[in-house]
Amino acid sequence: MLITKTYHDVPSNLSNERPIRIFVISPVVPGYPQARFPGVVCFSEIYQVTGPVERFAGQIASHGYVVACPSSFHEFEGPEPIPYDAEGRTDRGNTYKIEKTVEAYDEDATLTIDLLTSLPNCNGRIAATGMCLGGHLAFRAAFDARVLSSVCFFATDIHCATLGRGKKDDSLERVRKGDMTRKGELVMIFGKQDTHVPRLGRDLIRTTLEDANVPCSFLEVQAQHAFIRDESSKGRWDAALTRSLFTFMLEVFERTVGRDLGPRIDEKKKPEHVC
């Protein structure tokens, strides 16, 4: 499908009243101006909405989804991409990541979902995805009952609970408390050579999700961190693997938000079939 791009500046309560810019990429079907599509929140890595993130979101949109990309660090600077260099990584991206509060990250997600559901070309069925920092934010977005599925690429800081100010988030603790149980479907994707999330960390995430009965697919592939980034990846980009996992993600989105399945029935209360 063809796509169009725009943005919305949305007021924020927890970010020094600095608005958050949310970039929106929408599919267009010529001759059908009232067409409505599912929505996807696409959370970026620590560099905000860069070229690779926009291209990733654009590909999703071209398959028939209204995609919203929030600028994660609007408290500290404008919505422009942060460079993929040492200054951008250390002095800006990674610094902002632990200066921003977890509550402000959650507000950004809520505002982005609110925006999507208010758009005339969105039908209100919402999924989420993201990479690196954005993978963790897509994970937390799954606490919102409106999010019917989340696909998280190499999500950082979940296993060690170090997201946000004070480097102390409650993501896994909330899973243990049942905040993600009986909600949307989750997909966790990690590279086995990813030094940001070691094997023990991946095992902790998987075990916590399974113990909480969260419907989750857990994929570990032969790849490093940032393997889907097609620019400044330091030799880590795997185009073939990215294409394969992108197709996997689209299957999840098509099944969970691509069509209206009606109300969900609790598996434990499902009527027995009579032979």
Side-chain angles (χ1 to χ4, degrees):
M1 295 182 191
L2 301 175
I3 58 175
T4 61
K5 301 176 184 179
T6 187
Y7 65 82
H8 299 259
D9 289 329
V10 179
S12 171
N13 294 321
L14 299 179
S15 304
N16 302 320
E17 298 185 351
R18 291 175 60 96
I20 175 173
R21 176 160 294 183
I22 303 173
F23 297 91
V24 177
I25 308 176
S26 301
V28 176
V29 181
Y32 292 88
Q34 297 183 34
R36 303 176 75 225
F37 306 93
V40 175
V41 183
C42 181
F43 295 97
S44 69
E45 46 196 352
I46 61 170
Y47 306 98
Q48 299 213 102
V49 184
T50 59
V53 174
E54 183 178 318
R55 289 190 289 274
F56 183 79
Q59 290 184 64
I60 298 173
S62 190
H63 283 81
Y65 300 89
V66 182
V67 184
C69 305
S71 300
S72 293
F73 297 138
H74 56 104
E75 299 92 337
F76 311 109
E77 59 176 74
E80 296 77 18
I82 296 175
Y84 288 118
D85 58 22
E87 187 266 341
R89 179 178 63 255
T90 304
D91 297 338
R92 294 164 71 182
N94 276 324
T95 298
Y96 299 156
K97 184 180 74 168
I98 57 174
E99 287 185 5
K100 180 167 181 152
T101 66
V102 173
E103 292 78 13
Y105 282 119
D106 290 344
E107 183 194 41
D108 289 352
T110 298
L111 292 174
T112 306
I113 296 167
D114 289 347
L115 173 66
L116 276 173
T117 57
S118 74
L119 296 176
N121 63 339
C122 180
N123 64 15
R125 299 183 64 78
I126 307 298
T129 189
M131 63 289 294
C132 191
L133 163 66
H136 193 156
L137 300 182
F139 181 92
R140 290 188 66 87
F143 293 128
D144 190 318
R146 296 175 294 177
V147 176
L148 302 180
S149 59
S150 288
V151 179
C152 311
F153 288 88
F154 40 90
T156 54
D157 299 302
I158 295 177
H159 68 288
C160 50
T162 52
L163 178 66
R165 186 179 300 170
K167 301 177 72 173
K168 185 174 177 58
D169 68 71
D170 61 350
S171 297
L172 287 184
E173 185 58 33
R174 289 188 63 182
V175 173
R176 295 186 185 99
K177 291 179 180 178
D179 288 356
M180 202 177 283
T181 306
R182 295 189 180 87
K183 291 187 178 176
E185 182 174 339
L186 191 68
V187 178
M188 305 298 295
I189 301 172
F190 291 103
K192 284 196 168 187
Q193 288 76 47
D194 188 341
T195 57
H196 293 73
V197 189
R199 177 182 174 181
L200 290 177
R202 300 193 302 270
D203 289 347
L204 174 63
I205 296 169
R206 176 173 47 237
T207 300
T208 303
L209 291 168
E210 290 180 351
D211 288 348
N213 294 316
V214 175
C216 178
S217 298
F218 204 97
L219 282 66
E220 294 177 289
V221 296
Q222 297 300 318
Q224 301 178 62
H225 192 72
F227 68 87
I228 67 172
R229 190 201 301 162
D230 64 2
E231 178 184 319
S232 301
S233 70
K234 301 178 183 178
R236 298 173 294 182
W237 178 40
D238 189 325
L241 182 58
T242 298
R243 182 177 63 249
S244 176
L245 293 173
F246 188 86
T247 301
F248 185 95
M249 176 182 68
L250 288 179
E251 186 280 327
V252 174
F253 288 171
E254 181 179 357
R255 176 165 45 79
T256 56
V257 301
R259 52 182 56 84
D260 190 345
L261 301 177
R264 181 178 179 180
I265 298 176
D266 191 324
E267 291 292 323
K268 296 180 180 179
K269 299 179 181 179
K270 196 167 55 174
E272 295 182 2
H273 292 287
V274 179
C275 297

